[in-house]
Amino acid sequence: MSFLRRRIFGDYSVQASRESTPEKNEETLVVSASKLKRLKLPRQSKRRNGLIFGLGGLFGILVAAYFANRQDVINFEGLLDMNLDSILDVIPAGIIREARDITQHERDAVNYDSFSVGLYLQAQGIKAYHPVIMIPGVISTGLESWGTEEHSRPYFRKRLWGSWSMMRALIMDKAGWKRHIMLDKDTGLDPPGIKLRAAQGFDAADFFITGYWIWNKILENLATIGYDPTTAFTAAYDWRLSYINLEKRDQYFSRLKSHIETAVLTSNRKVVLVSHSMGSQVLFYFLQWVEAEGHGNGGPAWVDIFVDSWINISGSMLGALKDVPAVLSGEMKDTAQLNSFAVYGLEKFLAKEERAEIFRAMPGISSMLPKGGDAVWGNETWAPDDRPGQKMTYGTFINFKESNSTLSPKNLTVDASMEYLLKQTEDWYHDQLFGSYSHGVAHTKAKVEANAHDPRKWVNPLETRLPLAPHMKIYCFYGIGKDTERSYFYREDRDPLLNINVTIDTTLIKDGIDHGIVLGEGDGTVNLLSTGYMCARGWHIKRYNPARIPITVYEMPHEPDRFSPRGGPNTGDHVDILGRSSLNDLILRVAGGKGSLIEDNFVSNIREYSAKVKIYDE
């Protein structure tokens, strides 16, 4: 597609002046800056409408071809052989020019802060100091095919997650894409004849697809103060796997341990670990694994010797509530709030039953089911994050407008919802879930210490402790102030053709219920209690942090720029926060050895909510 981008949008690597230098004797006219600005404003309303009309027509042809293909009138696969140059030749030149202009404006909006944070801190004397190792989140790492069986050869070394190749495979070969992306339901490993692996290096997580950055802005700013591939490393992983199988199949934690040790040996400085979202859960598991005899064999002092700091960005430490409806019925806010036409198209293309099957066949996804049960998330009458004036408590997590059968029982708390999920899912899913994870609470020091020998507990910070590393520092940086899924209304779905018999009641829109979803506080993806509880209170309970590792919390309110498609430099969104200016500033200060100057910045009510959670010191 690179030649297509060059053909349509041109090469923007050099910003040449649009105006040539006047000839020596050419008459010139001096005008004011304000008038010059008005003269140079693009007159694009008619041209832009023409662009939209032209491209809309082209899109209409493709959509018509797709739906015609559903009726076996046109062979949609024939579009694969279409010469893209021939398409460009019939598009009016004015539309091509307008597309270039619009793309440049959008590119300028996206690149709002490239390198600027690093340049500012560089001027203050901050430079690369600690080696930096980054652990990305659940969608961040691209997955590429290494299979050589006949059905895999067309995809060899192509990304089936995190690229336009994924989009093409999903549209043109959905069955083949599903066969590759889903793990074996019994083993949780590769299906026979399939081999998908995490992409490696910075390319694995800097962009999801072309133009949609994830870690790229952090990499830009790290490079500006002196980091390069010898001092920074992305520890990408296959997020579909359970954490036990990450080590079993890919030796992921062994490789991570080796890379940390090598970084310390070559730099003579401890490392800074930077994790995002699910990556924070993976890293917490690693901190248990690396100490454990028979696993990492590092012993109780390993973390204190090798790790200076852990930067926990938007970590889903107590899970993501949206994981439950995703696994239960293949739904979440993103699908429930679609309009009727979009829902029809989605269901025809990738029905909720298929989506639920895919989520269940990725055991890594289930690591983000909520932890702590009713002690954290509330009961039938109360939740710690209930707000004044609410019509209903957040404590009832799955609600039924009408309760008249086993499919729609009484309203359910998080604990009861987990039991309900198990009743609606298959035995193979139960085996994967119970063999990999635990979601409870250890209320005593003795129980916490016993759990150090049980790998199923290592992902849950309410059942295991932080390492014995009194010299390590933990920084919790996360966004707040963006509506986030907190509870749901379901109804029965008696479609005889479906194995899933419940669905989010999207018709329910009233009293704070938006298409069957009740929204609470968070970063748009992970609830505030999950990102904030352990940092604000949980790790201040001695049995969970016996070494008294210092915890610094810095909350960042969601203040999006309405003209930026990704929220701009002050976004608090779960993913877009990775491009936030203040977050990049904080990361670089810690990496540059100045983290001790960062102070707590609480903006939300997380400390008040945390005090109400029913988990106490002994």
Side-chain angles (χ1 to χ4, degrees), residues 242-296:
S242 69
Y243 300 175
I244 292 172
N245 281 340
L246 269 176
E247 177 64 19
K248 179 178 180 179
R249 194 196 73 178
D250 297 346
Q251 299 80 51
Y252 174 77
F253 297 112
S254 294
R255 296 173 190 273
L256 179 57
K257 179 190 178 195
S258 176
H259 199 93
I260 291 172
E261 291 174 341
T262 301
V264 173
L265 179 65
T266 56
S267 69
N268 200 31
R269 295 184 181 122
K270 297 181 184 182
V271 301
V272 168
L273 303 174
V274 186
S275 61
H276 174 245
S277 188
M278 175 181 166
S280 294
Q281 294 185 185
V282 173
L283 180 54
F284 185 77
Y285 183 97
F286 169 76
L287 297 177
Q288 316 300 316
W289 176 91
V290 75
E291 287 186 350
E293 185 177 351
H295 296 274

Side-chain angles (χ1 to χ4, degrees), residues 46 104 135 219 267 314 362 435 525 593 609:
K46 290 184 179 180
Q104 184 59 44
I135 299 92
L219 295 175
S267 69
S314 305
M362 296 176 173
T525 299
Y609 298 157

